[in-house]
Amino acid sequence: DIQMTQSPSSLSASVGDRVTITCRASQSISSYLNWYQQKPGKAPKLLIYTASSLQSGVPSRFSGSGSGTDFTLTISSLQPEDFATYYCQQSSSAPYSFGQGTKLEIK
Amino acid sequence: DVQLVESGGGLVQPGGSLRLSCAASGFTFSSYWMTWVRQAPGKGLEWVANIKQDGSEKSYVDSVKGRFTISRDNAKNSLYLQMNSLRAEDTAVYYCTRGKPGIAAAVDWGQGTLLTVSS
């Protein structure tokens, strides 16, 4: 099975900052990488699929990149509503595992 | 609008069984892969199982293989998760999700149903 590792596990940042979260797969997954945002008490929300495609309705300040084993999620200018936990997920082969999450907190 | 409504959660003793249901509406249910994802209290997301549109293909995470069975009834627009031999570590919120066509990404999520396994 493919293991997904995110870094950092937590991150403090300020409104307006540029933030990058990294996700690494234990083997090559091509571009089969998705990113989700989850706020407390809510279901996750799909942000990015196939590494760099923006899901409909997601603000353009979110972007994704990478292929093979290394991927990044970038938020270009943090907004108050972006403070949440972010998860990557590989969709290359079942079981479609998630990373452990990155909690983005207000500095 | 797409709606996914889970039900069936509750308190179960270790070794017990329970069936979760997910009622889908707002889309052609029979055209989509469906997936269960769970989240233990205060923990991250765990992919549990998925099922193809016609039910002919299913996959499971190792920790539930042989204990959980995913199924669907396209005539009733419903997804199910039969859970047997439950353990404390199965305690979680269970989410029903709809797959994005051609990609194993969960584009729509239900509100979740809580399963607690405890004596």
Side-chain angles (χ1 to χ4, degrees):
Chain A
D1 295 355
I2 299 172
Q3 310 302 317
M4 305 302 294
T5 304
Q6 288 181 232
S7 61
S9 296
S10 63
L11 176 60
S12 294
S14 302
V15 172
D17 283 354
R18 180 184 179 89
V19 167
T20 297
I21 297 169
T22 297
C23 180
R24 175 165 289 176
S26 60
Q27 64 189 72
S28 178
I29 57 171
S30 185
S31 295
Y32 295 106
L33 192 284
N34 311 309
W35 289 99
Y36 301 84
Q37 176 194 66
Q38 186 180 31
K39 296 182 179 179
K42 300 293 187 181
K45 171 186 173 183
L46 179 65
L47 298 176
I48 303 279
Y49 60 94
T50 56
S52 60
S53 298
L54 196 66
Q55 173 64 14
S56 176
V58 174
S60 59
R61 62 181 179 273
F62 290 93
S63 64
S65 65
S67 65
T69 61
D70 294 316
F71 301 86
T72 58
L73 172 70
T74 299
I75 309 172
S76 60
S77 179
L78 272 175
Q79 298 301 301
E81 60 268 29
D82 300 337
F83 292 95
T85 300
Y86 293 85
Y87 295 93
C88 63
Q89 179 207 23
Q90 64 85 13
S91 51
S92 174
S93 62
Y96 299 116
S97 45
F98 289 89
Q100 81 279 14
T102 295
K103 187 173 184 179
L104 180 53
E105 299 174 305
I106 301 173
K107 183 183 287 184
Chain B
D1 283 3
V2 171
Q3 278 205 313
L4 300 168
V5 180
E6 302 93 338
S7 61
L11 176 62
V12 180
Q13 290 190 338
S17 298
L18 204 65
R19 188 177 84 155
L20 303 183
S21 299
C22 172
S25 61
F27 64 101
T28 305
F29 181 73
S30 59
S31 296
Y32 291 85
W33 282 81
M34 298 294 294
T35 300
W36 288 99
V37 175
R38 68 183 179 182
Q39 186 169 36
K43 302 298 183 182
L45 301 172
E46 182 178 32
W47 187 94
V48 175
N50 72 348
I51 185 168
K52 194 176 180 179
Q53 291 91 328
D54 62 358
S56 62
E57 293 182 29
K58 306 174 185 180
S59 295
Y60 300 90
V61 68
D62 283 351
S63 59
V64 309
K65 278 181 184 174
R67 300 189 301 122
F68 289 13
T69 301
I70 189 172
S71 63
R72 65 192 297 162
D73 185 334
N74 288 341
K76 295 183 178 180
N77 292 335
S78 292
L79 177 71
Y80 305 103
L81 187 66
Q82 177 66 43
M83 303 180 294
N84 299 330
S85 302
L86 284 163
R87 307 166 180 167
E89 54 265 36
D90 296 319
T91 294
V93 173
Y94 285 74
Y95 292 102
C96 166
T97 75
R98 179 178 77 134
K100 191 168 180 68
I103 304 165
V107 64
D108 293 294
W109 297 63
Q111 84 289 350
T113 188
L114 176 62
L115 166 69
T116 302
V117 183
S118 176
S119 55

